[in-house]
Amino acid sequence: MITLYQLATSPFTEKVRRALAYKGIAFDIHEVERAAVPGGRYAKVSPTGKFPAMDHDGTGIWDSTDIIRHLEAAFPQKPLIPVDPRDAALAHVIEDWADESLYFYEITMRLAWAHNLEAALDEFAAGMPGLSHDDVRQRILEGAGALTKTQGLGRKPVAQVVADAQRHFAAIDAMLDGRDWLIGSSLSVADLAVIAQVNALLYAVEARDALAASRNIVAWTARVDSVAPYAKAAS
């Protein structure tokens, strides 16, 4: 029995749910109440307060990378980590790039820039009951702004961030040139990690403009959707 403790707005939730769907694993969903996390309500399943977290027959796993590696060991059908050592290494590097670099671009562009936050505000407000949209907006802008300034991206001028994002989209597009998948001949964890961050980035008008300049990304996202849909549950 698998229960996924998730924040629906998180790209890491999307990454894990696509992995579960691809492998055909049935799972239940528990939506985490953000305000209850600091008080320790979910400490049993995620002692670190990181989400998504997964309970698999009483065993708790948190962090999307660790969850997928747990799934690989427990459900080896339709592997997401390539067999070839070099391809596996590249998948690891691309997954880490998506999780640790592209992630801060989506936090900056989707959540720290007020004109883009409006597109995501209803979804975030749904996970923060009892707060007005104005309160949710203020908390997100302040929290995302502080996080990205500490990380460094939030201290860059807007035009520089946009240029960086355009280069990231161009890199994804180039990796897909003449290929169906980012690594090897089948879907891998690299595809899942990148598509989750791309979809979060597309809340930003500037990212949608970058996507419009690409040749391969839209067709690739359709391929990923066809084999690893972002579904509520796997059948």
Side-chain angles (χ1 to χ4, degrees):
M1 183 68 185
I2 288 179
T3 301
L4 183 66
Y5 290 78
Q6 69 165 36
L7 297 168
T9 54
S10 167
F12 301 107
T13 290
E14 176 176 343
K15 175 183 167 187
V16 169
R17 279 172 52 171
R18 287 183 184 275
L20 288 161
Y22 180 67
K23 287 178 172 288
I25 303 168
F27 62 100
D28 293 328
I29 291 171
H30 180 97
E31 189 66 29
V32 171
E33 186 178 334
R34 291 174 187 272
V37 174
R41 181 185 299 178
Y42 303 99
K44 185 176 180 180
V45 68
S46 178
T48 62
K50 287 174 67 70
F51 296 95
M54 188 176 75
D55 183 292
H56 182 198
D57 291 337
T59 298
I61 309 100
W62 52 92
D63 187 276
S64 65
T65 297
D66 293 328
I67 290 172
I68 289 179
R69 274 142 189 80
H70 174 87
L71 294 174
E72 285 287 278
F75 305 94
Q77 72 271 21
K78 301 181 76 172
L80 287 165
I81 297 176
V83 173
D84 178 80
R86 187 175 187 278
D87 284 351
L90 286 173
H92 164 74
V93 170
I94 292 173
E95 179 189 15
D96 196 63
W97 166 65
D99 289 357
E100 305 299 338
S101 179
L102 291 183
Y103 169 67
F104 281 101
Y105 282 89
E106 73 92 355
I107 291 292
T108 300
M109 298 171 71
R110 176 172 68 143
L111 303 183
W113 293 356
H115 66 283
N116 289 327
L117 174 58
E118 292 305 311
L121 193 60
D122 285 347
E123 295 172 45
F124 277 86
M128 303 169 75
L131 294 179
S132 69
H133 275 49
D134 286 342
D135 287 337
V136 172
R137 182 185 297 106
Q138 181 178 352
R139 290 190 182 200
I140 292 175
L141 289 173
E142 290 177 355
L147 176 63
T148 56
K149 283 178 182 177
T150 299
Q151 182 265 346
L153 192 59
R155 298 196 297 272
K156 285 188 173 185
V158 168
Q160 190 174 352
V161 174
V162 172
D164 288 348
Q166 289 170 341
R167 284 193 292 272
H168 283 306
F169 272 82
I172 297 166
D173 201 52
M175 281 190 283
L176 289 166
D177 198 28
R179 308 177 63 91
D180 287 340
W181 312 105
L182 291 172
I183 298 292
S185 59
S186 63
L187 182 92
S188 76
V189 66
D191 297 288
L192 300 189
V194 172
I195 195 174
Q197 299 299 336
V198 165
N199 283 336
L201 271 163
L202 291 178
Y203 281 82
V205 62
E206 298 85 357
R208 296 195 295 274
D209 289 343
L211 178 66
S214 73
R215 295 180 300 160
N216 304 304
I217 297 176
V218 171
W220 164 74
T221 60
R223 282 192 293 274
V224 177
D225 285 341
S226 69
V227 299
Y230 184 20
K232 289 188 175 181
S235 57

